[in-house]
């Protein structure tokens, strides 16, 4: 208990010192106490040789192209806790520049229903950010079965039709490790975290989902995560998805939900809409209870894709200033 209090006091003093003596430049966001904690507990390179793992606004490399690859690149292992006071790599030498360190922004996009425009928005955001010179990883919905970090998830699901909660947490940890190692500026994840619809489909209740969200939130603490939720009329969005996918799509979708352990059970389009209303409520409630950064775009099904993109761009700017420079 005493050690925990001392550690928290140190972090509070560190952030107070940094804000008092080295104010964050305009356009950058101050780091929180929790984010500074992870800077001290994660391996980072020495100040004399920055790598993509820790990227400072004053020493940014040339912008790279957008990427959807998942390869892990090696980085120099250097623990700040091992440095001597006043030497490169010691924690004292890093205090003046902590406010300028850029964290990867993870934007995870969900919606009230298929057809509400999640994938279209993800593509638009990815292109927008790549055009500004950012390193963008666009994680498409179907890639959860092909990304190497999620191999155990794909294997478990293919073999058993379900996935253990621990497997999801372990896969997410590997994914965050890869993101941090690559030094991505932004990750755009289409229908990935927080996995609530997957958990509901596997029959998990809200108490289990809450405990899972606690673990997931801790894993995601090394990135600056924001969830964008496209809200709207589920019935209208389903109809739009059916028009896009073909006349057999609605029967397929209703049949898929009917085969899951969802509550309320699904047997037709009307009951599918009722289930989607519960899925929406549980997803938003879980994110809010864990203090996730949350952007809800109302009536997204009534807006054009360009209008949805403009709203998302405007509301994401407070979290993206560190990578788009305002």
């Amino acid at each position: 208990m005493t050690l925990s209090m001392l550690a928290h006091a140190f972090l509070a003093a560190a952030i107070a010192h940094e804000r008092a003596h080295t104010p964050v430049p305009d356009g950058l966001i101050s780091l929180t106490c929790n984010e500074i904690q992870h800077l001290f507990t994660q391996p980072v390179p020495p100040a004399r040789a920055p790598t993509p793992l820790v990227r400072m606004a004053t020493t940014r490399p040339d912008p790279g192209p957008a990427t959807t690859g998942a390869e892990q690149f090696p980085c120099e292992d250097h623990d700040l806790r091992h440095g001597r006071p006043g030497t490169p790599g010691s924690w004292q030498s890093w205090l003046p520049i902590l406010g300028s360190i850029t964290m990867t922004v993870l934007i995870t996009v969900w919606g009230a229903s298929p057809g509400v425009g999640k994938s279209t928005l993800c593509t638009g955001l990815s292109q927008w950010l790549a055009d500004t010179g950012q390193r963008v990883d666009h994680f498409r919905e179907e890639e959860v079965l092909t990304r190497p970090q999620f191999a155990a998830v794909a294997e478990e699901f293919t073999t058993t039709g379900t996935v253990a909660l621990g497997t999801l947490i372990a896969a997410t940890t590997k994914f965050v490790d890869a993101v941090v190692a690559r030094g991505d500026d932004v990750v755009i994840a289409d229908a990935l975290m927080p996995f609530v619809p997957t958990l509901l489909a596997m029959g998990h209740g809200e108490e289990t989902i809450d405990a899972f969200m606690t673990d997931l939130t801790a894993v995601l603490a090394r990135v600056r995560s924001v969830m964008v939720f496209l809200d709207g009329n589920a019935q209208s969005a389903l109809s739009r998805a059916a028009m896009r996918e073909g006349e057999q799509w609605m029967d397929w979708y209703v049949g898929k939900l009917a085969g899951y352990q969802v509550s309320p059970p699904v047997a037709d389009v009307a009951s599918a809409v009722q289930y989607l209303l519960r899925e929406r409520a549980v997803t938003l409630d879980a994110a809010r209870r864990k203090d996730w950064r949350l952007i809800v775009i109302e009536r997204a099904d009534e807006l054009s894709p360009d209008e949805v993109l403009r709203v998302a761009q405007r509301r994401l700017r407070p979290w993206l200033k560190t990578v788009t420079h305002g």
Side-chain angles (χ1 to χ4, degrees), residues 41-278:
T41 58
Q42 295 300 319
V44 298
R48 57 182 170 78
T51 75
L53 180 58
V54 175
R55 305 184 32 207
M56 291 163 279
T58 55
T59 57
R60 295 182 62 81
D62 293 335
T67 175
T68 58
E71 303 85 18
Q72 296 191 39
F73 293 96
C75 61
E76 184 176 351
D77 184 8
H78 184 87
D79 193 331
L80 286 175
R81 294 166 294 180
H82 296 165
R84 295 189 303 276
T87 62
S90 68
W91 63 264
Q92 289 95 334
S93 67
W94 283 81
L95 282 175
I97 58 173
L98 286 176
S100 299
I101 294 177
T102 301
M103 293 181 71
T104 298
V105 178
L106 169 64
I107 302 172
T108 180
V109 180
W110 277 96
S113 166
V116 78
K118 300 187 311 299
S119 298
T120 301
L121 176 60
C122 288
T123 299
L125 288 174
S126 298
Q127 187 61 57
W128 168 55
L129 289 165
D131 287 345
T132 68
Q134 306 310 311
R135 296 186 179 186
V136 182
D137 177 7
H138 182 183
F139 194 130
R140 293 169 175 81
E141 185 173 4
E142 65 273 12
E143 291 179 19
V144 72
L145 296 178
T146 58
R147 291 270 182 144
Q149 296 83 17
F150 286 86
V153 172
E155 180 179 359
E156 217 169 280
F157 180 76
T158 302
T159 303
T160 67
T162 188
V163 180
L165 302 187
T167 304
L168 283 174
I169 292 294
T172 304
T173 301
K174 292 179 180 179
F175 174 67
V176 172
D177 288 343
V179 167
V180 172
R182 281 196 311 268
D184 296 324
D185 290 309
V186 185
V187 177
I188 308 290
D190 185 350
L192 191 62
M193 298 78 156
F195 305 108
V196 171
T198 299
L199 302 184
L200 289 173
M202 293 190 297
H204 294 297
E206 294 179 35
E207 184 175 342
T208 300
I209 291 174
D210 185 74
F212 174 85
M213 284 290 292
T214 298
D215 294 339
L216 181 64
T217 301
V219 169
L220 295 178
R222 289 187 293 151
V223 295
R224 190 184 296 274
S225 56
V226 186
M227 185 166 82
V228 177
F229 190 91
L230 302 186
D231 212 354
N233 185 291
Q235 176 74 65
S236 298
L238 281 177
S239 298
R240 187 160 69 176
M243 290 179 61
R244 180 189 66 207
E245 301 295 337
E247 59 183 19
Q248 303 299 320
W249 180 86
M250 189 72 80
D251 290 339
W252 169 83
Y253 181 70
V254 169
K256 183 181 76 167
L257 291 181
Y260 292 152
Q261 306 172 48
V262 298
S263 176
V266 173
D268 52 25
V269 174
S271 56
V273 170
Q274 291 304 307
Y275 165 71
L276 288 172
L277 290 174
R278 178 175 181 246

Side-chain angles (χ1 to χ4, degrees), residues 1-11 37:
M1 182 63 178
T2 302
L3 288 175
S4 297
M5 294 173 65
L6 287 172
H8 186 79
F10 165 74
L11 291 171
Q37 171 196 345

